[in-house]
Amino acid sequence: MGYPKGEIKFKHYGRNIEKLIEQAIQINNDEEQEAAIIYIGQLMRSFHSTWNRDNFDDGIILDDIKTLSKGKLHIDLEKVRENALFESNTRRDFKIQHIEAEPQKKKFNHPKKSQKQWPQQQKA
């Protein structure tokens, strides 16, 4: 296996962001594609803020997404700003149903060693 060849356009994001964007372009469902853009934007924002804490704007992330996707991915900048969509620490109305719907399991009560009942051995 050789070392990956090819230029990374934005090194501070890395090759995996480029791969995620390639996958997001292939999504046909508009809602799922928007969710993918939001997820990618959150990752890109965290990577970008690691290297550049000054002068940060969501518009930079959107411009980078458009550049990496060659204009195929887009989301409204005002929507991103109003809803803080690229902030990964913002809690939204996403709920994990399997945790809420799952009943609590009962714990098995083991008898204490002193209370353990051993079968009586019969005398012959």
Side-chain angles (χ1 to χ4, degrees):
M1 179 186 307
Y3 192 76
K5 296 178 182 175
E7 193 66 28
I8 299 174
K9 291 184 182 180
F10 298 102
K11 291 185 181 182
H12 54 280
Y13 296 134
R15 187 173 311 279
N16 286 335
I17 290 293
E18 292 179 4
K19 289 181 180 182
L20 287 172
I21 287 177
E22 290 171 9
Q23 292 296 316
I25 291 170
Q26 296 175 5
I27 297 173
N28 294 327
N29 184 322
D30 291 340
E31 290 178 11
E32 289 179 14
Q33 190 176 58
E34 184 175 286
I37 294 168
I38 292 168
Y39 177 74
I40 292 168
Q42 290 172 350
L43 284 173
M44 290 173 76
R45 181 180 176 137
S46 68
F47 296 158
H48 189 275
S49 64
T50 300
W51 297 104
N52 187 4
R53 296 189 185 270
D54 301 331
N55 204 11
F56 184 79
D57 183 31
D58 288 331
I60 297 169
I61 301 298
L62 282 178
D63 289 341
D64 292 348
I65 289 173
K66 287 179 186 175
T67 301
L68 289 169
S69 69
K70 298 177 183 145
K72 295 178 182 175
L73 295 179
H74 52 81
I75 189 171
D76 184 42
L77 178 60
E78 292 304 315
K79 181 178 182 179
V80 171
R81 287 181 177 161
E82 287 175 12
N83 298 314
L85 295 178
F86 288 169
E87 293 183 22
S88 59
N89 60 355
T90 303
R91 180 168 166 79
R92 291 182 198 85
D93 293 331
F94 300 127
K95 294 181 181 177
I96 302 173
Q97 294 177 355
H98 71 277
I99 291 176
E100 295 173 1
E102 191 174 298
Q104 290 200 359
K105 296 178 182 178
K106 292 182 181 179
K107 294 181 179 177
F108 184 79
N109 291 330
H110 293 282
K112 293 181 182 176
K113 288 184 180 182
S114 61
Q115 295 176 348
K116 211 176 234 185
Q117 299 293 324
W118 296 100
Q120 298 285 333
Q121 291 183 356
Q122 294 179 349
K123 293 182 181 177

